[in-house]
Amino acid sequence: MKVGKSVLLPETTPAEAYQRWLTVVWRGGGGLGKATILVEGEADGTRCKRRVAGGVTEEIHRVTPTEIEYSVIAGPFPVSKHKGIVTFVEQGADTLVNWECEFTPSILGHIFCCCGLGLHGIVSVSFSKMLSTLANSGKVE
């Protein structure tokens, strides 16, 4: 299954959007409760591990100046595979933040979450909330 959401950050460079996403969403929880940073990782975010609401643990695996790739590595989220990618695309003076997640529901995800449709809904609503929080956060210095 695949979920994707986007938000435009006016008068924001991709580098600023990248740092803002790390600060507001990854470290700050994006309005869904503060994340607990378990492993700081590198300055660019690589290998940073966090625990979010519900006890789900995620880790950033790969970064470029315009992309962050992460996955769920532990916790009660009923998926057997998970990969999230956040991209920061320059559009004139603005930056479009695209957030996509691809996952395969586990057997429990199929049984208890309407064949994965419930998971799709949870991820979609979560991305919308966090991107809204990001858009309303203002620039991070």
Side-chain angles (χ1 to χ4, degrees):
M1 302 192 102
K2 193 171 188 176
V3 177
K5 296 288 179 178
S6 299
V7 69
L8 187 68
L9 300 180
E11 299 180 23
T12 304
T13 67
E16 291 168 337
Y18 177 103
Q19 285 303 316
R20 201 159 133 191
W21 188 88
L22 278 178
T23 301
V24 173
V25 176
W26 187 263
R27 295 181 180 281
L32 296 177
K34 186 143 177 75
T36 300
I37 302 302
L38 303 173
V39 176
E40 279 295 326
E42 306 299 321
D44 64 3
T46 306
R47 291 195 294 277
C48 183
K49 291 181 185 178
R50 72 177 187 160
R51 181 171 299 122
V52 296
V56 174
T57 302
E58 300 173 320
E59 180 178 10
I60 296 175
H61 299 292
R62 187 181 65 78
V63 299
T64 70
T66 58
E67 185 174 285
I68 296 172
E69 181 181 312
Y70 72 98
S71 69
V72 169
I73 59 169
F77 198 59
V79 296
S80 59
K81 291 182 184 175
H82 176 280
K83 179 178 168 182
I85 297 179
V86 183
T87 57
F88 307 92
V89 181
E90 185 175 2
Q91 294 195 335
D94 309 329
T95 296
L96 182 66
V97 180
N98 294 306
W99 194 348
E100 292 186 345
C101 174
E102 205 165 339
F103 60 89
T104 302
S106 66
I107 292 171
L108 290 177
H110 277 286
I111 294 170
F112 294 110
C113 297
C114 302
C115 296
L117 294 177
L119 293 173
H120 187 280
I122 289 167
V123 172
S124 182
V125 168
S126 297
F127 282 10
S128 292
K129 171 62 177 164
M130 290 185 279
L131 288 175
S132 175
T133 299
L134 178 68
N136 293 320
S137 68
K139 290 194 175 188
V140 175
E141 301 300 324

